[in-house]
Amino acid sequence: MSVSRPAQCLFCRTRTLARVLPHRARRPYSDSSSKNGPPPSSSGRLARSLVEKLKPGPSGNDDQKRRALEIATRDLPRYNKQDYSAEDVAKVLPRFTAEQMAELAKKYTPEQMKAIEAGEEAVDPMDLATQGMLRKDGLRPWYIDDFATIQPVIDKPIRNPDSNYDPRLRPKTEDELAEDYARFYDSLPEDITEENARLAYRKFEDEMRLTVGLEAAERAPASYLAAELPRIEEPGIRFVNNEEESEKDPLMDRVYKQTGFTPEEVGRFRIKTLVQHRVVNQTRMGKIQSEYSLVVAGNGRGLVGIGEGKALEMDASREQARRAAIRNMQPVVRYEKRTIYGEVQAKVGAAVVTMSSRRPGFGLRCQQYIFEISRCVGISDLAARVTRSRNPMNVIKATVAALQKQRLPDTVLIPGSSPVTDH
Protein backbone atom coordinates (compact mmCIF):
# COMPACT_ATOMS: atom_id res chain seq x y z
CA MET A 1 0.00 0.00 0.00
CA SER A 2 1.43 3.34 -1.07
CA VAL A 3 1.36 6.31 1.26
CA SER A 4 2.53 8.88 -1.26
CA ARG A 5 -0.95 9.78 -2.59
CA PRO A 6 -2.58 10.38 0.83
CA ALA A 7 0.39 12.53 1.86
CA GLN A 8 0.20 14.46 -1.38
CA CYS A 9 -3.53 15.02 -0.98
CA LEU A 10 -3.03 16.19 2.59
CA PHE A 11 -0.45 18.73 1.49
CA CYS A 12 -2.70 19.93 -1.31
CA ARG A 13 -5.52 20.47 1.18
CA THR A 14 -3.19 22.44 3.43
CA ARG A 15 -2.19 24.76 0.59
CA THR A 16 -5.82 25.21 -0.46
CA LEU A 17 -6.84 25.98 3.12
CA ALA A 18 -4.06 28.57 3.39
CA ARG A 19 -5.39 30.38 0.32
CA VAL A 20 -8.95 30.41 1.70
CA LEU A 21 -8.11 31.70 5.18
CA PRO A 22 -7.74 35.49 5.53
CA HIS A 23 -4.23 36.83 5.90
CA ARG A 24 -3.26 37.97 9.38
CA ALA A 25 -0.27 40.21 9.85
CA ARG A 26 2.48 38.72 11.99
CA ARG A 27 4.62 40.70 14.32
CA PRO A 28 8.17 40.75 12.88
CA TYR A 29 11.04 39.68 15.13
CA SER A 30 12.76 43.05 15.07
CA ASP A 31 13.54 45.96 17.34
CA SER A 32 11.73 48.38 15.05
CA SER A 33 8.02 48.99 15.33
CA SER A 34 5.63 46.93 13.23
CA LYS A 35 4.23 48.44 10.05
CA ASN A 36 0.88 46.78 10.75
CA GLY A 37 0.36 48.54 14.09
CA PRO A 38 -2.27 51.12 15.03
CA PRO A 39 -2.63 54.24 12.89
CA PRO A 40 -0.30 57.15 13.62
CA SER A 41 -3.18 59.28 14.83
CA SER A 42 -3.96 57.10 17.83
CA SER A 43 -0.24 56.66 18.60
CA GLY A 44 0.28 60.39 18.33
CA ARG A 45 -2.50 61.04 20.82
CA LEU A 46 -0.92 58.51 23.18
CA ALA A 47 2.47 60.19 22.88
CA ARG A 48 1.05 63.66 23.45
CA SER A 49 -0.82 62.47 26.54
CA LEU A 50 2.41 61.02 27.91
CA VAL A 51 4.36 64.14 27.06
CA GLU A 52 1.92 66.20 29.12
CA LYS A 53 3.28 64.40 32.17
CA LEU A 54 6.75 65.68 31.38
CA LYS A 55 5.73 69.29 31.66
CA PRO A 56 6.40 70.93 35.03
CA GLY A 57 3.34 71.11 37.21
CA PRO A 58 2.14 70.64 40.77
CA SER A 59 1.70 66.87 40.34
CA GLY A 60 4.38 64.37 39.40
CA ASN A 61 8.01 64.14 40.48
CA ASP A 62 11.20 63.55 38.49
CA ASP A 63 10.89 59.73 38.72
CA GLN A 64 7.41 59.83 37.24
CA LYS A 65 8.62 62.10 34.44
CA ARG A 66 11.53 59.78 33.69
CA ARG A 67 9.21 56.80 33.64
CA ALA A 68 6.79 58.63 31.35
CA LEU A 69 9.64 59.45 28.98
CA GLU A 70 10.72 55.79 28.92
CA ILE A 71 7.17 54.72 28.09
CA ALA A 72 6.84 57.38 25.41
CA THR A 73 10.18 56.54 23.76
CA ARG A 74 9.26 52.92 23.15
CA ASP A 75 7.48 53.74 19.89
CA LEU A 76 8.96 57.15 19.16
CA PRO A 77 10.10 56.50 15.55
CA ARG A 78 6.53 57.33 14.43
CA TYR A 79 6.29 60.59 16.47
CA ASN A 80 7.46 64.12 15.66
CA LYS A 81 9.84 66.47 17.42
CA GLN A 82 7.16 69.10 18.03
CA ASP A 83 5.60 66.75 20.56
CA TYR A 84 8.51 67.49 22.93
CA SER A 85 10.17 70.61 24.25
CA ALA A 86 13.94 70.99 24.54
CA GLU A 87 13.67 72.07 28.19
CA ASP A 88 11.82 68.92 29.25
CA VAL A 89 14.21 66.66 27.35
CA ALA A 90 17.25 68.41 28.85
CA LYS A 91 15.93 67.70 32.35
CA VAL A 92 15.68 63.98 31.67
CA LEU A 93 18.82 63.72 29.47
CA PRO A 94 21.22 66.33 30.88
CA ARG A 95 24.69 66.94 29.51
CA PHE A 96 27.93 66.49 31.47
CA THR A 97 28.61 69.26 33.96
CA ALA A 98 32.02 70.82 34.58
CA GLU A 99 32.48 68.74 37.72
CA GLN A 100 31.66 65.54 35.87
CA MET A 101 34.06 66.39 33.06
CA ALA A 102 36.78 67.00 35.65
CA GLU A 103 36.15 63.57 37.14
CA LEU A 104 36.25 61.98 33.70
CA ALA A 105 39.55 63.71 32.95
CA LYS A 106 41.12 61.81 35.85
CA LYS A 107 40.23 58.44 34.27
CA TYR A 108 40.68 59.10 30.54
CA THR A 109 43.48 60.46 28.38
CA PRO A 110 43.22 63.86 26.63
CA GLU A 111 42.52 62.08 23.32
CA GLN A 112 39.66 60.17 24.89
CA MET A 113 38.28 63.34 26.45
CA LYS A 114 38.24 64.98 23.03
CA ALA A 115 36.29 62.01 21.69
CA ILE A 116 33.79 62.31 24.57
CA GLU A 117 33.33 66.02 23.92
CA ALA A 118 32.89 65.41 20.20
CA GLY A 119 30.27 62.76 20.95
CA GLU A 120 28.43 65.17 23.24
CA GLU A 121 28.31 67.75 20.49
CA ALA A 122 27.32 65.26 17.78
CA VAL A 123 24.43 63.61 19.64
CA ASP A 124 21.38 65.75 20.13
CA PRO A 125 19.28 64.93 23.23
CA MET A 126 16.18 65.68 21.20
CA ASP A 127 17.15 62.92 18.77
CA LEU A 128 17.52 60.50 21.67
CA ALA A 129 14.04 61.42 22.87
CA THR A 130 12.39 61.19 19.46
CA GLN A 131 14.30 58.30 17.87
CA GLY A 132 15.64 56.23 20.74
CA MET A 133 13.58 53.39 22.17
CA LEU A 134 13.88 50.41 24.47
CA ARG A 135 14.27 46.95 22.99
CA LYS A 136 11.23 44.70 23.14
CA ASP A 137 12.59 41.47 21.63
CA GLY A 138 13.23 38.27 23.54
CA LEU A 139 17.01 38.79 23.65
CA ARG A 140 16.92 42.22 25.32
CA PRO A 141 18.87 42.74 28.58
CA TRP A 142 16.76 42.43 31.70
CA TYR A 143 18.40 45.52 33.20
CA ILE A 144 18.87 49.16 32.17
CA ASP A 145 22.47 50.25 32.66
CA ASP A 146 24.84 52.89 31.36
CA PHE A 147 27.52 50.19 30.81
CA ALA A 148 30.06 52.37 32.64
CA THR A 149 30.73 49.78 35.34
CA ILE A 150 31.66 46.12 35.01
CA GLN A 151 29.30 43.61 36.59
CA PRO A 152 31.12 40.30 37.17
CA VAL A 153 27.96 38.22 36.70
CA ILE A 154 27.01 39.42 33.23
CA ASP A 155 30.14 41.20 31.97
CA LYS A 156 33.57 39.85 31.15
CA PRO A 157 35.66 39.94 34.34
CA ILE A 158 38.98 41.75 34.49
CA ARG A 159 41.82 39.27 34.28
CA ASN A 160 44.39 39.41 37.05
CA PRO A 161 48.10 39.80 36.19
CA ASP A 162 50.23 36.75 35.38
CA SER A 163 52.37 37.43 38.45
CA ASN A 164 49.52 36.00 40.58
CA TYR A 165 50.18 32.52 39.18
CA ASP A 166 51.95 30.06 41.47
CA PRO A 167 52.82 26.63 40.02
CA ARG A 168 53.49 25.26 43.52
CA LEU A 169 50.04 26.10 44.82
CA ARG A 170 48.43 23.14 46.58
CA PRO A 171 45.44 22.69 48.92
CA LYS A 172 46.08 22.40 52.63
CA THR A 173 45.95 19.03 54.29
CA GLU A 174 43.62 18.20 57.15
CA ASP A 175 46.46 18.54 59.66
CA GLU A 176 47.34 22.03 58.40
CA LEU A 177 43.71 23.14 58.58
CA ALA A 178 43.48 21.73 62.11
CA GLU A 179 46.56 23.74 63.10
CA ASP A 180 44.94 26.93 61.76
CA TYR A 181 41.82 26.30 63.84
CA ALA A 182 43.96 25.54 66.92
CA ARG A 183 45.89 28.81 66.54
CA PHE A 184 42.63 30.71 66.16
CA TYR A 185 41.16 29.27 69.39
CA ASP A 186 44.42 29.92 71.25
CA SER A 187 44.39 33.56 70.13
CA LEU A 188 40.94 34.23 71.62
CA PRO A 189 41.01 36.00 75.01
CA GLU A 190 39.52 34.19 77.97
CA ASP A 191 37.03 36.93 78.84
CA ILE A 192 35.56 37.26 75.33
CA THR A 193 31.80 37.33 75.06
CA GLU A 194 29.76 34.87 73.03
CA GLU A 195 28.73 37.49 70.49
CA ASN A 196 32.31 38.69 69.92
CA ALA A 197 33.51 35.10 69.65
CA ARG A 198 30.92 34.41 66.98
CA LEU A 199 31.96 37.51 65.03
CA ALA A 200 35.64 36.60 65.35
CA TYR A 201 34.93 33.08 64.08
CA ARG A 202 33.08 34.43 61.01
CA LYS A 203 35.97 36.78 60.26
CA PHE A 204 38.43 33.92 60.67
CA GLU A 205 36.50 31.73 58.20
CA ASP A 206 36.34 34.56 55.67
CA GLU A 207 40.07 35.28 55.87
CA MET A 208 41.32 31.71 56.31
CA ARG A 209 43.45 30.39 53.46
CA LEU A 210 42.75 26.96 52.02
CA THR A 211 45.97 26.59 50.01
CA VAL A 212 49.71 26.71 50.58
CA GLY A 213 51.65 29.05 48.30
CA LEU A 214 51.30 32.56 46.96
CA GLU A 215 48.34 34.30 48.59
CA ALA A 216 47.49 36.29 45.45
CA ALA A 217 47.19 33.03 43.50
CA GLU A 218 44.33 31.99 45.79
CA ARG A 219 42.64 35.35 46.36
CA ALA A 220 42.86 36.61 42.77
CA PRO A 221 44.02 33.82 40.41
CA ALA A 222 45.20 34.70 36.91
CA SER A 223 42.82 32.74 34.71
CA TYR A 224 40.65 33.34 31.66
CA LEU A 225 38.02 30.92 32.94
CA ALA A 226 34.84 32.22 34.53
CA ALA A 227 34.16 31.68 38.21
CA GLU A 228 33.05 28.18 39.12
CA LEU A 229 29.33 27.76 39.64
CA PRO A 230 28.26 26.69 43.14
CA ARG A 231 27.71 22.97 43.47
CA ILE A 232 24.97 21.52 45.62
CA GLU A 233 25.90 18.20 47.12
CA GLU A 234 23.30 15.49 47.07
CA PRO A 235 21.89 14.86 50.54
CA GLY A 236 21.43 11.16 49.81
CA ILE A 237 25.13 10.42 49.27
CA ARG A 238 27.13 9.32 52.29
CA PHE A 239 30.91 9.22 52.31
CA VAL A 240 32.08 5.92 53.75
CA ASN A 241 35.57 5.35 55.06
CA ASN A 242 36.93 2.13 53.59
CA GLU A 243 39.94 1.91 55.88
CA GLU A 244 38.57 -1.10 57.74
CA GLU A 245 37.64 -2.72 54.45
CA SER A 246 41.16 -2.26 53.11
CA GLU A 247 42.55 -4.12 56.12
CA LYS A 248 40.33 -7.09 55.31
CA ASP A 249 40.74 -6.99 51.51
CA PRO A 250 44.37 -7.31 50.36
CA LEU A 251 43.28 -6.70 46.77
CA MET A 252 42.19 -3.16 47.62
CA ASP A 253 45.58 -2.50 49.22
CA ARG A 254 47.13 -3.48 45.92
CA VAL A 255 44.83 -1.04 44.13
CA TYR A 256 45.88 1.74 46.51
CA LYS A 257 49.54 1.07 45.75
CA GLN A 258 48.95 0.96 41.99
CA THR A 259 46.87 4.13 41.75
CA GLY A 260 48.19 6.21 44.64
CA PHE A 261 44.71 6.83 46.03
CA THR A 262 44.12 6.77 49.76
CA PRO A 263 41.22 4.94 51.41
CA GLU A 264 39.67 8.32 52.27
CA GLU A 265 39.75 9.40 48.62
CA VAL A 266 38.28 6.12 47.41
CA GLY A 267 35.54 6.45 50.01
CA ARG A 268 34.49 9.74 48.40
CA PHE A 269 34.34 8.31 44.88
CA ARG A 270 30.99 7.93 43.19
CA ILE A 271 30.73 4.27 42.17
CA LYS A 272 27.73 3.02 40.23
CA THR A 273 26.90 -0.45 38.90
CA LEU A 274 25.42 0.02 35.43
CA VAL A 275 25.12 -3.51 33.96
CA GLN A 276 24.49 -6.82 35.70
CA HIS A 277 23.47 -10.04 33.99
CA ARG A 278 24.27 -13.72 33.72
CA VAL A 279 26.53 -15.09 30.99
CA VAL A 280 27.10 -18.65 29.81
CA ASN A 281 30.33 -20.07 28.39
CA GLN A 282 29.88 -23.16 26.28
CA THR A 283 32.76 -25.66 26.70
CA ARG A 284 33.23 -29.32 26.00
CA MET A 285 32.34 -29.99 29.62
CA GLY A 286 29.01 -28.20 29.20
CA LYS A 287 27.66 -24.73 29.91
CA ILE A 288 29.47 -22.76 32.61
CA GLN A 289 27.37 -19.98 34.06
CA SER A 290 28.92 -16.78 35.45
CA GLU A 291 27.77 -13.37 36.68
CA TYR A 292 28.89 -10.26 34.74
CA SER A 293 29.09 -6.70 36.13
CA LEU A 294 30.10 -3.37 34.62
CA VAL A 295 30.86 -0.55 37.08
CA VAL A 296 31.74 3.12 36.57
CA ALA A 297 33.72 5.12 39.14
CA GLY A 298 34.55 8.82 39.34
CA ASN A 299 35.55 11.49 41.81
CA GLY A 300 33.19 14.19 40.46
CA ARG A 301 36.14 16.44 39.57
CA GLY A 302 37.29 15.12 36.20
CA LEU A 303 38.31 11.49 36.83
CA VAL A 304 36.32 8.54 35.49
CA GLY A 305 36.93 4.87 34.82
CA ILE A 306 34.95 1.77 33.91
CA GLY A 307 35.64 -1.80 34.97
CA GLU A 308 34.28 -5.22 34.09
CA GLY A 309 34.14 -8.25 36.33
CA LYS A 310 33.01 -11.87 35.93
CA ALA A 311 32.74 -14.43 38.70
CA LEU A 312 30.51 -17.23 39.93
CA GLU A 313 28.76 -14.92 42.43
CA MET A 314 27.27 -11.51 41.74
CA ASP A 315 28.96 -9.86 44.73
CA ALA A 316 32.37 -11.15 43.68
CA SER A 317 31.90 -9.91 40.11
CA ARG A 318 30.78 -6.51 41.38
CA GLU A 319 33.84 -6.12 43.62
CA GLN A 320 36.11 -7.20 40.78
CA ALA A 321 34.56 -4.62 38.46
CA ARG A 322 34.80 -1.98 41.18
CA ARG A 323 38.53 -2.51 41.61
CA ALA A 324 39.03 -2.46 37.85
CA ALA A 325 37.09 0.80 37.53
CA ILE A 326 39.24 2.50 40.18
CA ARG A 327 42.37 1.18 38.53
CA ASN A 328 41.29 2.40 35.06
CA MET A 329 40.38 5.98 36.07
CA GLN A 330 41.55 8.57 33.53
CA PRO A 331 41.31 12.40 33.56
CA VAL A 332 38.61 14.10 31.49
CA VAL A 333 38.84 17.78 30.55
CA ARG A 334 35.83 19.95 31.38
CA TYR A 335 34.90 23.44 30.26
CA GLU A 336 34.24 25.65 33.29
CA LYS A 337 34.06 22.41 35.33
CA ARG A 338 30.49 21.79 34.15
CA THR A 339 30.41 20.68 30.49
CA ILE A 340 32.57 19.44 27.61
CA TYR A 341 34.40 21.28 24.84
CA GLY A 342 32.25 21.54 21.72
CA GLU A 343 30.81 18.37 20.19
CA VAL A 344 32.39 14.90 20.26
CA GLN A 345 31.40 11.57 18.77
CA ALA A 346 32.62 8.00 19.32
CA LYS A 347 31.66 4.59 17.96
CA VAL A 348 32.10 1.22 19.68
CA GLY A 349 30.67 -1.75 17.87
CA ALA A 350 27.42 -0.58 16.31
CA ALA A 351 26.68 2.06 19.00
CA VAL A 352 27.35 5.70 18.06
CA VAL A 353 27.33 8.32 20.85
CA THR A 354 27.27 12.06 20.09
CA MET A 355 27.64 14.59 22.90
CA SER A 356 27.42 18.38 22.81
CA SER A 357 28.19 21.13 25.30
CA ARG A 358 25.37 23.27 26.64
CA ARG A 359 24.84 26.51 28.54
CA PRO A 360 24.80 26.74 32.36
CA GLY A 361 21.63 25.37 33.88
CA PHE A 362 20.78 23.16 30.90
CA GLY A 363 21.17 19.95 32.89
CA LEU A 364 21.86 16.42 31.71
CA ARG A 365 19.52 15.50 28.87
CA CYS A 366 20.81 12.17 27.73
CA GLN A 367 20.45 8.40 28.11
CA GLN A 368 20.55 6.83 31.56
CA TYR A 369 24.05 5.36 31.16
CA ILE A 370 25.49 8.65 29.87
CA PHE A 371 23.70 10.40 32.74
CA GLU A 372 25.42 8.26 35.37
CA ILE A 373 28.84 8.60 33.73
CA SER A 374 28.43 12.39 33.57
CA ARG A 375 27.57 12.49 37.25
CA CYS A 376 30.70 10.52 38.06
CA VAL A 377 32.88 12.83 35.96
CA GLY A 378 31.36 16.02 37.39
CA ILE A 379 29.55 17.26 34.26
CA SER A 380 26.27 19.04 34.93
CA ASP A 381 25.31 20.49 31.50
CA LEU A 382 25.31 18.10 28.55
CA ALA A 383 23.17 16.94 25.62
CA ALA A 384 23.76 13.51 24.10
CA ARG A 385 22.07 11.10 21.74
CA VAL A 386 22.68 7.44 20.86
CA THR A 387 22.10 6.29 17.30
CA ARG A 388 22.07 2.83 15.74
CA SER A 389 22.67 0.16 18.37
CA ARG A 390 21.77 0.77 22.01
CA ASN A 391 23.72 -2.07 23.57
CA PRO A 392 24.41 -0.92 27.16
CA MET A 393 28.02 -2.09 27.27
CA ASN A 394 28.90 -0.50 23.92
CA VAL A 395 27.12 2.74 24.87
CA ILE A 396 29.09 3.00 28.11
CA LYS A 397 32.42 2.34 26.41
CA ALA A 398 31.61 4.78 23.60
CA THR A 399 30.70 7.48 26.12
CA VAL A 400 34.04 7.21 27.91
CA ALA A 401 35.85 7.13 24.55
CA ALA A 402 34.03 10.28 23.44
CA LEU A 403 35.00 12.11 26.61
CA GLN A 404 38.63 11.25 25.91
CA LYS A 405 38.41 12.56 22.32
CA GLN A 406 37.66 16.19 23.16
CA ARG A 407 39.53 18.82 21.16
CA LEU A 408 40.94 21.56 23.35
CA PRO A 409 41.20 25.15 22.06
CA ASP A 410 45.01 25.15 22.34
CA THR A 411 45.26 22.07 20.10
CA VAL A 412 43.04 23.33 17.27
CA LEU A 413 45.03 24.50 14.26
CA ILE A 414 43.97 27.51 12.23
CA PRO A 415 44.46 26.89 8.48
CA GLY A 416 47.76 28.35 7.43
CA SER A 417 48.98 29.17 10.93
CA SER A 418 50.76 27.60 13.90
CA PRO A 419 49.02 26.24 17.02
CA VAL A 420 47.19 28.68 19.27
CA THR A 421 49.65 28.05 22.11
CA ASP A 422 52.50 29.55 20.06
CA HIS A 423 50.82 32.97 19.81
Side-chain angles (χ1 to χ4, degrees), residues 115-251:
I116 294 175
E117 294 175 358
E120 284 285 304
E121 296 296 333
V123 179
D124 187 6
M126 183 63 71
D127 294 338
L128 293 178
T130 56
Q131 299 181 9
M133 69 179 199
L134 298 178
R135 292 177 56 181
K136 296 181 292 183
D137 58 285
L139 301 178
R140 68 183 185 277
W142 56 269
Y143 61 96
I144 301 177
D145 194 1
D146 58 354
F147 300 101
T149 58
I150 294 180
Q151 300 186 15
V153 178
I154 56 180
D155 297 331
K156 183 178 179 181
I158 300 177
R159 186 172 183 266
N160 297 314
D162 294 333
S163 58
N164 292 6
Y165 175 72
D166 186 7
R168 301 180 181 179
L169 190 70
R170 64 170 181 84
K172 289 185 177 181
T173 61
E174 295 183 359
D175 296 338
E176 292 173 342
L177 292 175
E179 292 178 359
D180 293 343
Y181 278 99
R183 284 194 294 268
F184 165 72
Y185 287 115
D186 292 341
S187 62
L188 294 177
E190 297 182 357
D191 56 348
I192 188 172
T193 61
E194 183 179 356
E195 182 66 22
N196 294 338
R198 188 181 297 107
L199 296 177
Y201 181 75
R202 292 179 180 177
K203 183 179 180 181
F204 165 73
E205 281 194 334
D206 294 339
E207 299 177 354
M208 182 180 63
R209 292 193 54 190
L210 303 178
T211 59
V212 177
L214 186 63
E215 183 176 1
E218 177 184 355
R219 307 293 186 185
S223 175
Y224 284 108
L225 298 179
E228 183 179 0
L229 297 176
R231 298 183 57 187
I232 302 177
E233 300 292 343
E234 298 183 15
I237 297 180
R238 293 187 302 107
F239 296 148
V240 181
N241 189 355
N242 295 340
E243 185 176 359
E244 299 180 357
E245 181 181 356
S246 63
E247 297 177 357
K248 301 178 182 179
D249 190 1
L251 297 178

Side-chain angles (χ1 to χ4, degrees), residues 377-421:
V377 176
I379 295 175
S380 57
D381 303 309
L382 181 71
R385 63 180 183 272
V386 181
T387 57
R388 299 184 62 185
S389 174
R390 288 172 174 78
N391 182 274
M393 294 175 290
N394 291 341
V395 170
I396 295 170
K397 296 176 183 178
T399 302
V400 178
L403 293 174
Q404 299 291 339
K405 290 173 59 177
Q406 298 183 58
R407 298 181 63 188
L408 300 180
D410 55 355
T411 60
V412 178
L413 291 177
I414 303 175
S417 63
S418 58
V420 180
T421 53

Side-chain angles (χ1 to χ4, degrees), residues 108-122:
Y108 299 102
T109 61
E111 291 78 8
Q112 293 174 339
M113 291 299 300
K114 292 180 181 180
I116 294 175
E117 294 175 358
E120 284 285 304
E121 296 296 333

Side-chain angles (χ1 to χ4, degrees), residues 306-326:
I306 57 174
E308 299 175 291
K310 187 167 64 173
L312 296 178
E313 299 293 337
M314 184 61 70
D315 294 340
S317 66
R318 190 185 302 110
E319 290 298 326
Q320 182 180 353
R322 176 174 172 268
R323 292 191 296 268
I326 298 174

Side-chain angles (χ1 to χ4, degrees), residues 38-93:
S41 59
S42 61
S43 301
R45 289 194 299 269
L46 175 62
R48 283 189 290 272
S49 63
L50 292 173
V51 169
E52 291 297 330
K53 300 181 180 180
L54 295 175
K55 296 181 179 180
S59 62
N61 51 17
D62 294 339
D63 296 337
Q64 294 178 354
K65 296 178 182 179
R66 186 183 296 273
R67 179 58 181 166
L69 181 61
E70 293 178 358
I71 297 175
T73 54
R74 291 180 181 177
D75 298 316
L76 279 181
R78 61 178 76 166
Y79 305 147
N80 299 322
K81 286 188 176 182
Q82 49 266 27
D83 294 335
Y84 299 91
S85 62
E87 293 78 7
D88 296 334
V89 174
K91 293 179 182 179
V92 183
L93 301 173

